[in-house]
Amino acid sequence: MKTLEQPTAPSIKSRPIYQWPDRLPDAGDYLFVIEPCGRETLSELLREQAHERVRILLHHEGNEASSTGADLGPRRTEPAIWKRFEPKLLETLKESTVGCRLVVIGSEAFLWDVRGFAVAHGLVDEEILLYPMAGQGRRVFCAHCRTFTEGVHVSPVACTGCGCYLEVRDHFSRRLGAYMGVRVDAEEPGAVPQQEELN
Amino acid sequence: MRLYPRDTQAFRGHFTYQNSSEAIRRFPFPFPEDDYIYSVNIEPHVLPGPEGSVYEHMLDIDEHYLSETAERDMVLREDPDRCLAMPHMRQACWDLLEFVMTHYARDYPQHFSFERQGDDCVWVNHPLNIRQSFRMGEEGTLPTSPLELIGRQVQGDIALLDQRDGDLFMDAGVITSPADWSLAFDAGMSFKQWHGPVPLAHEMGIFDRALKYLCAIQVGGPVRRLNWTMTIHPRMDSSPETFAHWGKDRTTITPDNVGQDVYLRVELQTLVRMPRSHALFFGIRTYLISLEDLVTHRAWARRLHRVLKGLPEELADYKGLSRYRETVVDWLAHYDRQPEPQY
Amino acid sequence: MSGHIVVKVSAIDTISPVVKQFTLEPCDRALPRFSAGSHVVVSMPGQDRWYRNAYSLLGDPADTSCYRIAVRRQEASRGGSRFMHEDVAVGDHLSISPPSNFFLPRWNARHHILIAGGIGITPFLAYLHEFERQGASHELHYSFREDTTGGFSLELQQRLGSSLHCYQGARPDFHRILADRPLGTHVYICGPQGMIDAVTRAAKDMDWADTRVHYEAFAAPESGTPFVARLAASGIDVTVDDETSLLEALEAQGVEVPNLCRGGVCGQCKTAVAEGRVEHRDAFLDDEERKRHDCIMPCVSRSLTDTLVLDL
């Protein structure tokens, strides 16, 4: 599986450590919500065993665009795309009952968007499994203009909202599905260090 | 006690903030020893505390009340997201409003009054010239949310922590003077998540023990602790949101201005169980003192010198002191000469 | 103990032949507000020692003009419930602790299923006040014997209507109660251990996550084998008989140990152990801490060895 490589001991404790089993635990009812990059992982998981009830919801488009705002709702994948996807997800959750397990496969930001929406509609974390796919980059929250920059692979990165160079910290908000980005040259304006690959 | 000067002082721009000698005398100096080591430094908030001290009342108010509420108003106008509450915190927000009104009116009756008959309430805040009639628990009878209404009248930041599954969650708050953390980002986080960036303490088990202790707090058993950092100028709003405005101040410290421009920043944190919701009130009262004022107290000057000198690098970095720590330590060394031998 | 509140018994109502409800009014200071699911510890002077029992507050949390508790007379009473039934009269004063809560409703749940067995109904009476006020979706399953604890069923019928399900002398089918529930449902159980076990088993069978299942065991602490607690500082030996908790035995000797829940969950009474092995019965310590046998929650835990040396 091309799942994300993760540090065994993250430098900041808010960074999630994902526990994804190769084989899904036995449960009567599975709901899979995936992005296209998660297809292969999905079929590997389904090949392993049969489940009584399996529903699959595919989120078709990527999330390259950026958006602003920090309202209390869960931070959504690119709003226009999410708007089309949300009613389908809502309908599926409404016809689910307690005992259902949710499996989300895709970019890290997408996982937390779906998880946030599901928790708001009554699922609990113990019932949710997250499979982050490698190579999708991070979502970064600009602490200053509150824009989300998606698919970030390097730090510092230019904020798509205010253009400032942001140092990408490992501090992670599950509600926003995003890492904290703070202006890297705030102390010495113009002193922007060399970009480094994020792990 | 003197609650406020006539004119409000600024925590920005020309920084007209200053402490009276009384404010210096009662400053909560946070170091019990020459070495600063992490510990679960939480203790019962036994009331009333020593007269005139910051511990005398449940919620301390001092001469900066008007200045701080004016500053808070400015921050909230620029950035309304500094006040947030998740829907399940509704009861907790009402608990908070009642808690603050009750204690302010009881402890500072010359400035506040809170009369209640059943759910019909009248709140009067003389310093801010506010008179508010409302019905407890009915949102429609207040001009704003209960959290914002009371949040604007409290001196200090406030957060409300929901308790579930043996953990605490930052699910509501009004945070306008944070020491470099963002409510917009940290909202909804668990106790260990929002303490994520703190170095060393996780490995020492500090947060495991603190969390167990805090979850066990019951009605009538408030606790408190002191926390500290340093700030350039008396800037209350040292938030990540405004980092671009204040970050460069850290590069301006010289031996000539260190006494006036560097401030020790101490937070008196109080944790109180809210009675109806069982949420935990997390109050953060910030006290600022310039090094110049601080060294008028010799024992403080000596101790701060030793603490800063021995502070582990990770902690200095985390607190944002690294660029000017040496300048401060050199300046304070003057106050930490060997004592005269005594015979 | 500090923080104790003196209250006056202003009414005693007989709910059933074995259940009495006590209305407690403040004497010297206003009663603290409380959250649904809270209990108070009532201190009762016995012949040779103090009894301290925890009782849920069953009144409306919005009303703190008085507290209300219900006491079921336990056949194998260690003294507390018998005292409340036989020796307390209207006008008497009692000493109670401030309210504590280890059984809180989940404010973010979308539907609440309450399952009560007998006198276990009491915390839910307070829950119902909050749920009604907040318009929160809920239902109550109440199992009781008519002659003992059914006394609340008439009042509940009027308040709950069709969302009350009574089971007289019969055990509810928990699998049926938990079947096909919308996401966001949480279940709360208060009743005998057997009922708690049966509901948690049913929940597990039906893939319910543990964090959806909440319970409070109200049963009296189990008895155990007698042992001797030796106080390291003074060398005093305290005998702990099979019906007394270590905490009670220490208190009877005048040894004050800070405590809150008296039920092994809050951790306040944690006491260091110098020698001996501990029979841990609390829910506070983790497995690592248990294995070390260097501390004990004297409110519920006991000794595996004849003598336990405490750092007191």
Side-chain angles (χ1 to χ4, degrees):
Chain A
M1 282 183 228
K2 285 184 295 176
T3 39
L4 195 73
E5 271 187 48
Q6 54 182 347
T8 44
S11 65
I12 287 186
K13 301 295 172 192
S14 56
R15 188 167 179 192
I17 295 179
Y18 298 92
Q19 313 275 347
W20 57 76
D22 288 342
R23 190 179 182 283
L24 293 175
D26 292 326
D29 181 12
Y30 267 104
L31 170 62
F32 294 88
V33 178
I34 70 163
E35 280 188 310
C37 63
R39 278 190 171 123
E40 199 183 317
T41 303
L42 173 71
S43 48
E44 279 175 42
L45 284 172
L46 289 178
R47 218 177 358 245
E48 284 295 320
Q49 76 224 79
H51 301 284
E52 277 173 43
R53 185 186 188 203
V54 170
R55 290 167 296 160
I56 299 165
L57 211 58
L58 181 66
H59 181 268
H60 281 284
E61 287 150 278
N63 48 337
E64 296 304 315
S66 65
S67 54
T68 57
D71 59 276
L72 267 179
R75 185 58 242 149
R76 310 281 154 75
T77 305
E78 205 279 302
I81 301 169
W82 183 270
K83 237 190 167 68
R84 292 200 294 277
F85 181 62
E86 188 182 278
K88 277 194 281 181
L89 182 55
L90 180 61
E91 197 185 325
T92 315
L93 291 174
K94 272 189 171 159
E95 64 197 28
S96 304
T97 55
V98 176
C100 167
R101 292 291 180 273
L102 172 67
V103 181
V104 197
I105 313 172
S107 69
E108 186 177 36
F110 176 74
L111 304 185
W112 291 99
D113 286 344
V114 175
R115 177 266 182 190
F117 190 80
V119 166
H121 289 87
L123 275 170
V124 297
D125 279 317
E126 279 175 277
E127 297 159 345
I128 302 173
L129 278 169
L130 303 176
Y131 287 75
M133 295 285 89
Q136 308 299 305
R138 299 187 185 189
R139 173 185 292 161
V140 175
F141 173 81
C142 175
H144 319 295
C145 75
R146 297 198 175 137
T147 301
F148 293 93
T149 301
E150 306 281 352
V152 174
H153 294 271
V154 292
S155 173
V157 64
C159 171
T160 51
C162 61
C164 289
Y165 275 90
L166 304 176
E167 178 199 344
V168 180
R169 297 186 180 167
D170 273 354
H171 194 28
F172 184 81
S173 162
R174 286 155 171 77
R175 181 175 66 91
L176 305 173
Y179 292 86
M180 178 88 146
V182 178
R183 194 165 161 176
V184 73
D185 60 340
E187 296 188 357
E188 277 182 77
V192 177
Q194 192 86 39
Q195 283 186 331
E196 283 181 29
E197 240 3 85
L198 291 164
N199 61 15
Chain B
M1 115 183 241
R2 192 168 79 132
L3 240 198
Y4 46 92
R6 291 253 166 264
D7 53 333
T8 57
Q9 303 169 337
F11 297 97
R12 51 174 80 195
H14 294 294
F15 295 106
T16 55
Y17 169 93
Q18 53 184 318
N19 284 308
S20 68
S21 54
E22 169 62 10
I24 296 168
R25 193 195 57 75
R26 72 198 295 275
F27 188 83
F29 188 74
F31 306 110
E33 287 169 59
D34 286 348
D35 288 324
Y36 176 68
I37 40 162
Y38 272 133
S39 63
V40 183
N41 61 331
I42 312 174
E43 59 182 335
H45 188 28
V46 180
L47 299 169
E51 198 179 332
S53 77
V54 300
Y55 308 122
E56 181 176 0
H57 300 302
M58 177 69 89
L59 299 166
D60 183 51
I61 300 184
D62 65 15
E63 63 190 34
H64 304 299
Y65 178 76
L66 275 187
S67 306
E68 284 192 34
T69 46
E71 162 75 11
R72 171 165 285 222
D73 176 60
M74 274 187 267
V75 175
L76 284 171
R77 276 168 199 272
E78 287 162 13
D79 187 358
D81 282 346
R82 301 290 189 98
C83 173
L84 297 177
M86 300 196 180
H88 62 271
M89 299 304 280
R90 187 187 164 276
Q91 178 65 56
C93 291
W94 280 106
D95 271 352
L96 170 77
L97 176 134
E98 187 180 359
F99 166 72
V100 174
M101 289 182 175
T102 304
H103 283 278
Y104 271 14
R106 184 185 303 163
D107 295 335
Y108 311 96
Q110 65 277 45
H111 300 298
F112 307 94
S113 81
F114 180 45
E115 282 164 33
R116 185 171 177 172
Q117 294 219 303
D119 286 338
D120 290 314
C121 306
V122 181
W123 162 250
V124 180
N125 178 334
H126 291 293
L128 290 176
N129 205 14
I130 291 170
R131 184 188 170 85
Q132 181 69 52
S133 304
F134 64 98
R135 277 184 62 79
M136 190 63 75
E138 291 180 20
E139 264 82 357
T141 63
L142 289 176
T144 60
S145 72
L147 178 65
E148 185 179 346
L149 184 110
I150 200 63
R152 283 174 166 278
Q153 300 181 50
V154 173
Q155 189 178 4
D157 280 346
I158 43 183
L160 288 168
L161 317 178
D162 189 36
Q163 186 165 327
R164 49 183 198 267
D165 303 327
D167 208 337
L168 296 166
F169 295 85
M170 174 86 63
D171 286 350
V174 186
I175 306 291
T176 59
S177 50
D180 203 7
W181 64 282
S182 163
L183 179 65
F185 191 76
D186 287 1
M189 286 191 190
S190 71
F191 186 73
K192 284 186 199 164
Q193 286 166 12
W194 87 71
H195 285 108
V198 182
L200 307 174
H202 291 271
E203 290 73 13
M204 292 166 68
I206 297 283
F207 295 119
D208 289 310
R209 271 175 282 148
L211 180 60
K212 269 190 181 175
Y213 186 94
L214 298 179
C215 285
I217 291 175
Q218 297 295 340
V219 173
V223 302
R224 66 176 182 235
R225 71 181 286 261
L226 295 177
N227 195 16
W228 72 279
T229 185
M230 299 182 100
T231 301
I232 308 306
H233 303 306
R235 185 186 296 278
M236 273 291 175
D237 184 16
S238 59
S239 58
E241 282 88 340
T242 55
F243 186 39
H245 300 305
W246 54 268
K248 47 189 176 291
D249 293 350
R250 288 175 174 167
T251 61
T252 62
I253 300 310
T254 66
D256 294 330
N257 64 19
V258 55
Q260 302 98 52
D261 287 359
V262 178
Y263 280 71
L264 178 64
R265 179 186 187 105
V266 174
E267 296 175 351
L268 168 56
Q269 303 181 345
T270 42
L271 293 126
V272 187
R273 184 63 68 190
M274 294 290 98
R276 285 278 295 282
S277 59
H278 207 67
L280 205 56
F281 163 87
F282 179 29
I284 310 161
R285 258 291 268 125
T286 297
Y287 301 82
L288 295 165
I289 189 171
S290 68
L291 293 188
E292 211 168 50
D293 283 346
L294 182 137
V295 299
T296 58
H297 200 303
R298 273 306 169 100
W300 291 353
R302 215 170 75 154
R303 176 151 290 167
L304 182 62
H305 174 244
R306 294 175 185 193
V307 165
L308 288 178
K309 212 169 147 179
L311 195 69
E313 202 60 47
E314 297 97 316
L315 269 177
D317 275 344
Y318 166 65
K319 289 178 185 288
L321 316 180
S322 301
R323 281 181 191 266
Y324 58 89
R325 166 158 71 154
E326 209 176 299
T327 314
V328 174
V329 170
D330 288 348
W331 188 79
L332 285 171
H334 176 68
Y335 300 91
D336 191 13
R337 295 207 188 98
Q338 288 299 316
E340 299 291 319
Q342 293 185 356
Y343 299 102
Chain C
M1 241 188 320
S2 63
H4 264 221
I5 304 166
V6 177
V7 289
K8 192 173 90 178
V9 178
S10 63
I12 301 176
D13 297 298
T14 300
I15 303 293
S16 81
V18 293
V19 177
K20 281 184 177 179
Q21 176 175 298
F22 298 80
T23 304
L24 311 174
E25 286 184 353
C27 289
D28 47 351
R29 59 178 169 128
L31 296 173
R33 295 181 167 268
F34 66 96
S35 47
S38 294
H39 68 264
V40 294
V41 176
V42 180
S43 300
M44 294 160 277
Q47 296 233 303
D48 44 5
R49 65 183 180 101
W50 284 78
Y51 297 104
R52 294 195 173 104
N53 284 6
Y55 296 109
S56 296
L57 295 175
L58 55 88
D60 183 354
D63 172 19
T64 45
S65 62
C66 65
Y67 285 166
R68 289 194 289 150
I69 59 172
V71 178
R72 187 205 157 138
R73 188 183 169 127
Q74 303 290 344
E75 282 318 314
S77 171
R78 297 178 311 134
S81 71
R82 188 193 307 154
F83 175 87
M84 290 297 288
H85 272 256
E86 291 176 6
D87 297 341
V88 176
V90 171
D92 283 358
H93 289 88
L94 287 174
S95 173
I96 64 171
S97 71
S100 300
N101 197 338
F102 300 104
F103 191 47
L104 191 74
R106 287 290 290 255
W107 301 120
N108 59 355
R110 295 157 75 89
H111 180 67
H112 307 267
I113 302 176
L114 311 177
I115 301 178
I119 193 68
I121 189 69
T122 50
F124 295 146
L125 295 171
Y127 273 42
L128 292 171
H129 286 288
E130 289 293 11
F131 292 162
E132 283 160 15
R133 195 167 12 250
Q134 295 172 13
S137 170
H138 63 277
E139 64 189 61
L140 171 64
H141 298 264
Y142 183 23
S143 164
F144 58 87
R145 285 199 302 266
E146 185 59 54
D147 55 334
T148 54
T149 52
F152 291 106
S153 56
L154 206 64
E155 178 200 334
L156 288 168
Q157 200 76 60
Q158 285 162 0
R159 278 171 71 182
L160 282 153
S162 63
S163 51
L164 174 69
H165 307 265
C166 288
Y167 307 83
Q168 278 192 54
R171 168 165 282 191
D173 178 347
F174 298 124
H175 284 83
R176 250 188 63 197
I177 293 176
L178 298 181
D180 296 325
R181 292 305 189 153
L183 300 179
T185 306
H186 282 248
V187 63
Y188 309 80
I189 316 134
C190 188
Q193 192 61 44
M195 173 182 258
I196 295 171
D197 292 344
V199 178
T200 48
R201 248 194 329 270
K204 214 168 237 4
D205 288 347
M206 304 174 79
D207 296 332
W208 282 52
D210 290 347
T211 48
R212 292 186 183 280
V213 183
H214 314 272
Y215 46 85
E216 179 164 65
F218 70 92
E222 305 162 59
S223 57
T225 322
F227 64 100
V228 171
R230 181 164 297 156
L231 312 184
S234 54
I236 292 174
D237 280 355
V238 178
T239 308
V240 186
D241 67 35
D242 53 353
E243 290 291 316
T244 308
S245 74
L246 172 55
L247 181 62
E248 287 170 333
L250 291 169
E251 286 170 342
Q253 290 290 317
V255 182
E256 289 287 335
V257 180
N259 66 85
L260 260 181
C261 70
R262 305 180 77 86
V265 292
C266 76
Q268 295 288 305
C269 67
K270 185 171 165 183
T271 301
V273 171
E275 269 180 64
R277 293 176 61 78
V278 182
E279 182 193 350
H280 294 289
R281 293 177 170 189
D282 64 280
F284 182 79
L285 298 172
D286 63 33
D287 288 346
E288 282 303 304
E289 290 169 309
R290 282 165 204 279
K291 278 185 214 151
R292 290 200 292 266
H293 291 277
D294 60 0
C295 61
I296 184 169
M297 300 294 163
C299 61
V300 288
S301 297
R302 304 183 64 85
S303 181
L304 291 169
T305 41
D306 293 342
T307 304
L308 197 66
V309 184
L310 303 176
D311 271 343
L312 280 175

